[in-house]
Amino acid sequence: MSKKYWLCKRSKVYYSLDSETGKRESLQTDEKAEAARIIHARNEAARQSGINLAIAKAYLVGADPKLAERTWGWVMEEYCSRGKETTRLRNRRAIRGKPFNLIRDKKLIETTADDLRAVMKAGGAFTNHFLRCLHNLALGMGWVLNPIIPPKLWPKAEKRPKRGITLEEHQKIIQHESNTERRLYYEILWEIGAAQTDGANLTSANIDWDKRLLSYHRLEEPVLRRAAVSNPIAHT
C-alpha cells in the first residue's frame, strides 16, 4: 500500500502532504525527527483503516457478491425504473443533474456522510429530497447496512428564493420541447402568468367568450388574475 502522507518542509516548519488530495497541513514543529514520527503515525492509521475496509469487503462479498461493488449509479437506475412512465422520465431528468455526478460512480460501502452533504450543498431543496429517496431505497434494499446519515440528522433543505423565468429562458424551453401539447401548455403559462398547477386546472369555464377574457384564481394567492384572449379560440 502506497503512503498517504508525505513529509515536506517550508521555511523552518515541517508539513504533512496528503498524496490523494494534495492538501498541506502544518505539523507545528521544526524538528525533523518529531515530524517524521507524526507522519509515520498518520500513515499507520490510514494503512490500518485500509486493511479494516478490505476485511469488511471480504465478509460482505461472502454474504452478497455485488454488495461491495454497487455504486450510486446502480441505485439511481433502480429508482428510475419504478412508477409510471411519466414518473420514470421525470426521475431520469433529475439524476442527470450535476450534483449527483459527485457520487454517481462512488461505491455505496465507501460513501460517507460528507459525500452526501457535498451533493446537497451543490444542489438545492429538490436535490436534498431526491438524494434522501435514493438513500432510503438503498437502505431498504439492504445495499447499505446502516443509514449513512440518520433520519434525525438529515440536513433540512434550505429553500432558495424563487423568481419568474426570463423571456430568453422561456424561449429556450420552447425550442427544446419536442412534445407539442407540453410546449403549448408552457406558452399558455407564459402568456397568462400562471403557475403550473393553476394552468393545469384551467377549463373552458375560465373564459368569458363574449368579452374574450380569461380569469382564474391562483391557488397560492387570494388574487383573481385576468388575461385578454387575443387570438381566436375554438370552443365546444
Side-chain angles (χ1 to χ4, degrees):
M1 181 181 294
S2 60
K3 291 196 295 185
K4 178 176 173 63
Y5 298 101
W6 293 85
L7 187 64
C8 62
K9 186 178 182 181
R10 297 184 65 180
S11 298
K12 296 182 179 181
V13 179
Y14 285 94
Y15 284 76
S16 167
L17 174 63
D18 190 322
S19 62
E20 295 179 0
T21 65
K23 181 180 178 181
R24 285 191 179 91
E25 182 181 352
S26 173
L27 299 178
Q28 299 181 347
T29 180
D30 57 1
E31 295 290 334
K32 185 175 181 179
E34 182 181 355
R37 287 197 298 270
I38 296 174
I39 289 294
H40 176 73
R42 290 191 176 188
N43 280 321
E44 281 298 303
R47 178 174 174 274
Q48 187 61 45
S49 177
I51 292 174
N52 291 340
L53 183 58
I55 294 173
K57 284 183 178 180
Y59 280 108
L60 290 174
V61 168
D64 180 354
K66 295 182 180 179
L67 195 60
E69 299 300 324
R70 288 191 180 97
T71 65
W72 284 99
W74 185 301
V75 182
M76 294 174 191
E77 286 300 319
E78 175 64 24
Y79 188 79
C80 293
S81 68
R82 298 165 176 247
K84 298 180 180 179
E85 179 64 22
T86 53
T87 301
R88 294 198 297 268
L89 290 174
R90 183 172 64 251
N91 289 339
R92 288 194 179 280
R93 286 196 296 269
I95 65 171
R96 289 198 292 267
K98 291 182 179 180
F100 294 106
N101 290 339
L102 297 173
I103 60 169
R104 196 179 306 277
D105 298 322
K106 194 169 189 66
K107 294 180 180 179
L108 297 179
I109 64 171
E110 297 178 358
T111 304
T112 66
D114 288 340
D115 295 323
L116 299 188
R117 287 177 180 273
V119 175
M120 288 182 259
K121 184 177 181 181
F126 177 76
T127 301
N128 184 310
H129 168 74
F130 197 86
L131 180 62
R132 191 165 189 173
C133 291
L134 295 175
H135 175 270
N136 290 342
L137 174 61
L139 186 62
M141 295 295 290
W143 295 341
V144 292
L145 303 182
N146 292 293
I148 299 173
I149 299 180
K152 291 185 178 180
L153 298 180
W154 196 275
K156 293 184 178 180
E158 296 183 2
K159 295 184 177 180
R160 297 179 177 179
K162 296 182 179 180
R163 65 171 180 82
I165 65 173
T166 64
L167 176 59
E168 181 181 1
E169 291 169 336
H170 168 69
Q171 290 173 339
K172 286 183 178 180
I173 293 173
I174 297 302
Q175 291 170 2
H176 291 85
E177 181 54 67
S178 58
N179 185 293
T180 302
E181 182 179 358
R182 189 178 292 115
R183 185 172 64 252
L184 293 174
Y185 170 61
Y186 291 154
E187 290 280 23
I188 289 177
L189 297 183
W190 175 263
E191 290 295 332
I192 66 177
Q196 292 189 38
T197 303
D198 297 324
N201 290 334
L202 292 176
T203 67
S204 60
N206 292 100
I207 299 178
D208 184 330
W209 300 101
D210 295 328
K211 296 181 180 179
R212 306 191 63 76
L213 187 68
L214 183 149
S215 304
Y216 65 95
H217 284 278
R218 292 213 56 183
L219 293 178
E220 296 182 359
E221 303 174 12
V223 176
L224 177 65
R225 293 290 185 90
R226 290 189 173 93
V229 180
S230 57
N231 296 321
I233 300 178
H235 63 283
T236 59

